[in-house]
């Protein structure tokens, strides 16, 4: 799977656990040296990062004699380096979203075409409910490949009687993923001659699928192991809640419009619907960054209804970095979106006037943040920090036992940061949503849970 959050070994797991440092090192050098010895002398280049890790993962799985390998596509499908498996047991396509547009195309239909590239002749494939046009593209791709494609029933269909399926992963969107996982697991178990899990109705390869709904896969009674698997599933950085005393961190690596919409629904349910503290105020903070060619204005606009008191932007790096251009753009975008909203929504707080301009870091005083020039009042101060560690320390204000307290007050000469620090120190509850990038979430986890780096 990719990307990793804290360390690269997360990408290659056996029985759910990242392979050990010893195994990773052993197989890394085995594969590296073999490629180095046998590479084409004319075109003497080694595989790029993701391709190398894919080759290495296949080698690990073969050498360790795993019974079943689950391989997640890197980007797209048709041209992804994972797509060299000629006869997988089964293929799955989860909910489609707009992402990696410079590589996959800028419409859902183009992206569906790329995703459908993993379909193989005679190999069953499953997808979940999709918009009509992208689903049609998946149907056509399946038809081209003579691949039987099925639609997963909703998870509700597996909950016969009073038997509810409890998911370890929060968020309504995970129900769609769980339904897909059940179908993929069922197909593997049938290959192993397990009975009583519902039979697929054959779809003739020549069947005219275009214009007809994709046939619905049968429901079945999930086994006890399936029920336990859904309940016990954990996946760091996806709808993850870390309560650290009065500071609660809500981590979700959403980075597309559809996933950010799902993140907002989850965050509002998990955090904003909580009862207000009786003994003091609640402060809500957004910690955001985005990478690649993503439309950050569209993502930030979706986050407005969460009613944040502060928006904090920083690079994904835990140490001071010069990668601030994107953060400053995001800061300006957030400020503009709030100003456009002013007067339209009753939830907006009274304007807080933030004067001045861009603060230049002062080595003697260690200035940590940048505040935008604001000729007009701001509704919700937007701050930029030059690294992730400093951003987290400002948000936590010494109240998270995993984080050191921020530098002295003199390091925050700007009123927006100083007043915010006071609010954060005095609030009964601080709720922080970290989103926009899995790399950002990984950096936060590295600082909040050092054990993950072991």
């Amino acid at each position: 799977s990719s990307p990793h959050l804290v360390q690269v070994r997360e990408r290659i797991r056996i029985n759910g656990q990242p392979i050990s440092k010893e195994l990773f090192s052993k197989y890394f050098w085995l594969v590296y040296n073999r490629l180095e010895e046998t590479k084409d002398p004319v075109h003497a280049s080694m595989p790029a990062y993701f391709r190398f890790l894919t080759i290495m993962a296949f080698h690990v799985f073969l050498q360790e004699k795993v019974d079943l390998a689950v391989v997640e596509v890197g980007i797209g499908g048709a041209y992804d380096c994972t797509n060299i498996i000629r006869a997988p047991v089964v293929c799955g396509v989860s909910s489609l979203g707009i992402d990696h547009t410079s590589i996959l195309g800028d419409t859902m239909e183009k992206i569906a075409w790329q995703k459908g590239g993993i379909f193989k002749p005679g190999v069953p494939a499953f997808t979940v409910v999709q918009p009509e046009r992208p689903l049609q593209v998946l149907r056509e791709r399946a038809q081209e490949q003579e691949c039987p494609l099925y639609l997963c029933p909703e998870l509700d269909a597996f909950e016969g009687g009073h038997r509810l399926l409890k998911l370890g992963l929060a968020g309504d969107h995970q129900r769609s993923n769980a339904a897909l996982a059940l179908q993929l697991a069922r197909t593997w178990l049938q290959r192993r001659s397990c009975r009583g899990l519902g039979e697929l109705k054959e779809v003739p390869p020549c069947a005219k699928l275009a214009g007809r709904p994709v046939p619905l896969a049968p429901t079945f009674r999930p086994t006890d192991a399936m029920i336990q698997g859904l309940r016990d599933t954990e996946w760091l950085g996806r709808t993850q809640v870390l309560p650290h005393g009065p500071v609660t961190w809500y981590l979700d690596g959403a980075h597309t419009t559809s996933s950010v919409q799902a993140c907002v629904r989850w965050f509002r349910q998990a955090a904003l619907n909580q009862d207000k503290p009786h003994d003091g105020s609640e402060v809500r903070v957004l910690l955001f960054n985005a990478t690649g060619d993503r439309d950050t204005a569209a993502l930030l606009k979706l986050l407005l209804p969460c009613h944040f008191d502060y928006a904090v932007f920083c690079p994904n790096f835990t140490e001071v970095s010069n990668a601030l251009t994107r953060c400053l753009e995001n800061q300006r975008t957030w400020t503009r979106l709030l100003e456009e909203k002013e007067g339209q929504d009753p939830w907006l707080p009274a304007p807080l006037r933030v004067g001045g301009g861009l603060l230049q870091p002062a080595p003697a005083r260690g200035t940590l943040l940048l505040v935008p020039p604001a000729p007009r009042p701001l509704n919700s101060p937007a701050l930029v920090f030059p690294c992730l560690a400093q951003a987290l320390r400002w948000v936590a204000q010494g109240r998270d036992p995993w984080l050191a307290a921020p530098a002295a007050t003199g390091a925050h000469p700007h009123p927006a940061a100083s007043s915010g620090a006071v609010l954060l120190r005095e609030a009964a509850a601080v709720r922080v949503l970290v989103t926009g990038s899995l790399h950002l979430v990984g950096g936060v986890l590295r600082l909040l849970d050092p054990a993950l780096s072991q």
Side-chain angles (χ1 to χ4, degrees):
S1 62
S2 66
H4 63 272
L5 291 175
V6 177
Q7 50 188 328
V8 69
R9 294 185 293 112
E10 297 167 29
R11 295 176 182 238
I12 305 174
R13 299 169 182 254
I14 296 180
N15 293 335
Q17 297 302 312
I19 62 173
S20 67
K21 290 181 180 179
E22 293 73 24
L23 272 186
F24 187 92
S25 178
K26 169 188 168 183
Y27 287 122
F28 177 94
W29 288 113
L30 271 173
V31 173
Y32 184 92
N33 291 332
R34 185 69 56 83
L35 291 171
E36 184 69 41
E37 293 163 5
T38 57
K39 67 186 179 186
D40 185 337
V42 179
H43 306 287
S45 62
M46 294 286 277
Y49 180 76
F50 185 82
R51 291 187 178 196
F52 181 90
L53 288 174
T54 301
I55 296 167
M56 180 178 158
F58 287 142
H59 186 67
V60 169
F61 295 150
L62 288 167
Q63 294 301 309
E64 295 296 315
K65 297 180 172 55
V66 301
D67 300 304
L68 165 68
V70 181
V71 181
E72 182 198 28
V73 169
I75 294 177
Y79 305 121
D80 190 78
C81 64
T82 59
N83 197 27
I84 62 167
I85 305 171
R86 297 181 184 178
V89 173
V90 63
C91 296
V93 176
S94 58
S95 294
L96 296 170
I98 298 288
D99 198 15
H100 302 295
T101 53
S102 60
I103 300 172
L104 304 182
D106 55 1
T107 67
M108 292 276 274
E109 290 79 9
K110 292 176 182 176
I111 290 171
W113 188 92
Q114 295 278 355
K115 300 280 186 180
I118 66 171
F119 295 158
K120 301 291 184 291
V123 173
F126 296 87
T127 189
V128 297
V129 173
Q130 310 279 10
E132 183 180 355
R133 295 283 296 280
L135 184 60
Q136 184 177 343
V137 172
L138 290 177
R139 282 202 303 260
E140 292 165 357
R141 291 288 270 165
Q143 195 173 11
E144 289 167 10
Q145 290 293 325
E146 299 185 351
C147 158
L149 176 65
Y150 302 90
L151 197 64
C152 295
E154 299 284 347
L155 195 60
D156 299 5
F158 294 89
E159 298 180 327
H162 299 289
R163 185 188 40 152
L164 294 177
L165 293 174
K166 184 175 174 58
L167 302 187
L169 297 176
D172 290 341
H173 58 293
Q174 297 296 355
R175 294 180 65 80
S176 161
N177 293 333
L180 178 59
L182 286 174
Q183 294 293 347
L184 300 179
R186 181 200 59 80
T187 306
W188 164 249
L189 289 169
Q190 281 192 321
R191 173 70 71 92
R192 300 291 292 265
S193 300
C194 294
R195 302 295 176 191
L197 292 171
E199 298 298 321
L200 288 173
K201 297 174 183 175
E202 286 297 320
V203 179
C206 58
K208 295 291 183 185
L209 291 177
R212 292 175 51 194
V214 173
L216 204 62
T219 56
F220 55 90
R221 185 179 180 86
T223 65
D224 290 344
M226 289 177 174
I227 294 169
Q228 181 182 348
L230 293 177
R231 184 179 65 238
D232 295 347
T233 297
E234 294 179 351
W235 201 249
L236 296 182
R238 281 77 169 179
T239 60
Q240 182 182 1
V241 181
L242 283 179
H244 284 194
V247 184
T248 305
W249 305 90
Y250 299 84
L251 311 177
D252 192 74
H255 50 270
T256 67
T257 51
S258 54
S259 61
V260 169
Q261 285 172 325
C263 170
V264 167
R265 287 194 295 270
W266 162 72
F267 179 67
R268 296 184 75 170
Q269 185 174 6
L272 305 189
N273 287 346
Q274 299 291 322
D275 291 335
K276 288 276 190 172
H278 295 298
D279 54 345
S281 63
E282 171 187 280
V283 178
R284 301 167 188 165
V285 180
L286 169 66
L287 180 59
F288 181 93
N289 192 37
T291 58
D293 55 5
R294 298 185 173 99
D295 183 354
T296 50
L299 303 184
L300 288 170
K301 190 170 186 177
L302 294 171
L303 290 161
L304 285 175
C306 292
H307 313 173
F308 294 105
D309 299 296
Y310 292 92
V312 174
F313 303 95
C314 67
N316 297 334
F317 309 108
T318 54
E319 297 176 353
V320 173
S321 161
N322 292 323
L324 287 175
T325 305
R326 185 80 175 263
C327 301
L328 291 166
E329 290 173 359
N330 293 340
Q331 180 191 48
R332 286 191 288 270
T333 300
W334 182 258
T335 302
R336 175 177 54 78
L337 288 169
L338 284 167
E339 289 172 345
E340 290 172 359
K341 278 281 190 182
E342 187 181 347
Q344 299 177 23
D345 294 284
W347 56 262
L348 283 174
L352 171 64
R353 183 167 296 280
V354 179
L358 193 63
L359 289 182
Q360 298 302 322
R365 298 177 60 193
T367 300
L368 300 183
L369 80 157
L370 303 161
V371 178
R376 297 184 299 279
L378 300 187
N379 300 106
S380 176
L383 312 177
V384 172
F385 289 84
C387 78
L388 189 50
Q390 293 180 357
L392 291 189
R393 282 198 293 267
W394 181 82
V395 171
Q397 288 297 313
R399 305 180 72 191
D400 184 326
W402 288 108
L403 293 170
T409 309
H412 305 294
H414 200 280
S418 300
S419 61
V422 173
L423 284 174
L424 291 164
R425 280 196 297 269
E426 294 180 352
V430 178
R431 307 193 190 280
V432 190
L433 174 63
V434 182
T435 193
S437 163
L438 277 165
H439 300 292
L440 175 72
V441 167
V444 170
L445 278 172
R446 194 175 297 119
L447 293 167
L448 295 181
D449 192 351
L452 293 173
S453 300
Q454 301 307 309

